[in-house]
């Protein structure tokens, strides 16, 4: 069975994914592919570079905990330049994050990973999500994939500016569908999009939180709708963005083969088994940039427990 793990974006909520990964490792569940966006891309690359669960836990509890270890707030410069309409300066300087990732991740080992690692970033010129494999991922790809617009600065890849992959593909399911993975575990960083019943928004802040949470899963829901309505990958492939990764997968030939198979009544297209794991409650907008030890530990524990609750009869 071909398996894929999809790690969504969600800022400092990413520690939740470490808890899920710990459970999967204990159950000897190994994916053939890991796809990630934004903080999910960082966790995907960490796994692909050979980091153990213990090392990833240490990153989150020692290297990441504390805002000053991830970014530098430059509020005065941000506001001053905005008011006098000078050159835009992002709200936060992510140089500390870049230095931490460069010192922690073995990019040479990543290229040798037997698990296919794919991360997404959005091309600012075309507004299209693009996907990159472990053979080409550098620190610039990783920084681009996690560059929240306006808050963080975009990063250049081969001279082209890219922004956070979560803008257009926060839950990058497409590569797993293209490669015809049979079992896909999707780790959400929001309860929205999962099967649980959410509280009714009663205040303006509640409504704002719901809207933000729904934006995190919108691309995922659209992909699922395309999968169900089309009932064949050829229809999905017809609307895929023109990214280098997708071109390399030879979409046209794949679509042609699927159409031929669908024409044969004896060969029915089998939909993949998709399992979602999500936080057990609404986390609040501030949790996206809350790089504290308290939240990291709480979300890792919640990730492990939710993985157990949702996978104990499956994995």
């Amino acid at each position: 069975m071909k398996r894929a793990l999809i790690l969504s974006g969600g800022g400092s909520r990413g520690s939740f994914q470490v808890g899920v990964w710990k459970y999967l490792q204990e159950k000897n569940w190994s994916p053939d592919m890991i796809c990630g966006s934004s903080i999910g891309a960082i966790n995907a690359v960490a796994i692909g570079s050979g980091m153990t669960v213990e090392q990833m836990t240490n990153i989150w509890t020692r290297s990441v905990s504390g805002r000053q270890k991830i970014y530098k707030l430059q509020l005065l410069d941000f506001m001053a330049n905005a008011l006098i309409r000078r050159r835009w300066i992002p709200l936060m300087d992510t140089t500390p994050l870049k230095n931490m990732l460069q010192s922690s991740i073995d990019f040479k080992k990543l290229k040798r990973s037997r698990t296919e690692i794919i991360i997404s970033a959005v091309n600012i010129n075309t507004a299209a999500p693009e996907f990159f494999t472990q053979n080409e991922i550098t620190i610039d790809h990783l920084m681009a994939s996690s560059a929240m617009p306006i808050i963080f600065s975009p990063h250049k890849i081969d001279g082209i500016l890219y922004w956070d992959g979560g803008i257009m593909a926060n839950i990058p399911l497409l590569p797993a569908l293209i490669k015809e993975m049979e079992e896909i575990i999707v780790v959400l960083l929001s309860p929205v999009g999962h099967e649980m019943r959410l509280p009714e928004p009663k205040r303006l802040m509640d409504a704002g939180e719901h809207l933000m949470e729904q934006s995190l899963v919108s691309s995922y829901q659209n992909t699922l709708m395309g999968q169900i309505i089309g009932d064949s990958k050829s229809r999905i492939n017809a609307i895929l963005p023109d990214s280098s990764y997708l071109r390399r997968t030879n979409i046209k030939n794949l679509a042609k083969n699927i159409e031929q198979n669908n024409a044969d009544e004896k060969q029915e297209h089998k939909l993949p088994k998709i399992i979602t794991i999500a936080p057990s409650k609404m986390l609040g907008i501030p949790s996206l940039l809350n790089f504290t030890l308290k939240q990291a530990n709480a979300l890792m524990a919640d990730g492990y427990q939710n993985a157990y609750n949702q996978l104990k009869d499956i994995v």
Side-chain angles (χ1 to χ4, degrees), residues 91-207:
L91 181 60
M92 297 173 184
D93 175 12
T94 53
T95 301
L97 172 63
K98 184 176 183 178
N99 293 337
M100 186 273 289
L101 292 176
Q102 282 184 311
S103 63
S104 303
I105 293 176
D106 188 339
F107 286 93
K108 291 183 179 179
K109 195 170 182 180
L110 173 67
K111 294 183 186 299
R112 301 193 298 270
S113 174
R114 293 185 178 181
T115 302
E116 186 173 12
I117 307 297
I118 300 171
I119 67 174
S120 69
V122 173
N123 184 320
I124 290 181
N125 295 336
T126 64
E130 296 196 13
F131 300 90
F132 305 94
T133 70
Q134 74 266 26
N135 295 321
E136 57 195 329
I137 293 171
T138 64
I139 186 63
D140 290 325
H141 293 80
L142 207 50
M143 293 302 295
S145 181
S146 56
M148 297 182 192
I150 302 193
I151 298 176
F152 301 152
S153 63
H155 285 262
K156 284 187 177 181
I157 300 174
D158 297 329
I160 299 174
L161 282 174
Y162 286 83
W163 245 335
D164 198 311
I167 302 171
M168 295 293 181
N170 194 52
I171 304 169
L173 183 61
L174 282 175
L177 296 178
I178 291 168
K179 289 297 185 73
E180 299 185 278
M181 295 291 146
E182 299 166 85
E183 183 176 83
I184 304 173
I185 292 180
V186 179
V187 185
L188 307 174
L189 294 181
S190 167
V192 174
H194 192 53
E195 297 176 356
M196 66 179 291
R197 184 179 180 86
L198 299 173
E200 177 184 349
K202 296 181 179 180
R203 300 173 302 169
L204 179 60
M205 285 297 294
D206 297 336

Side-chain angles (χ1 to χ4, degrees), residues 247-306:
R247 286 196 297 271
R248 288 197 301 273
T249 59
N250 205 359
I251 297 302
K252 290 183 179 179
N253 289 338
L254 179 59
K256 184 178 179 181
N257 291 336
I258 292 173
E259 286 174 354
Q260 289 176 348
N261 289 340
N262 288 342
D264 186 350
E265 294 181 357
K266 294 182 180 179
Q267 297 186 38
E268 296 182 0
H269 171 54
K270 185 178 180 180
L271 294 174
K273 179 181 181 181
I274 300 178
I275 309 159
T276 59
I277 302 173
S280 53
K281 62 182 180 180
M282 298 287 274
L283 300 172
I285 295 175
S287 65
L288 292 169
L289 291 172
N290 180 14
F291 289 96
T292 62
L293 179 61
K294 181 179 180 180
Q295 175 168 291
N297 281 329
L299 286 180
M300 281 189 283
D302 193 43
Y304 184 91
Q305 187 61 47
N306 276 277

Side-chain angles (χ1 to χ4, degrees), residues 59-78:
I59 288 289
W60 276 97
T61 57
R62 297 179 184 178
S63 299
V64 173
S65 291
R67 188 193 72 195
Q68 70 278 6
K69 296 181 180 179
I70 295 299
Y71 53 78
K72 294 178 182 177
L73 187 64
Q74 41 195 21
L75 181 60
L76 292 179
D77 288 339
F78 174 81

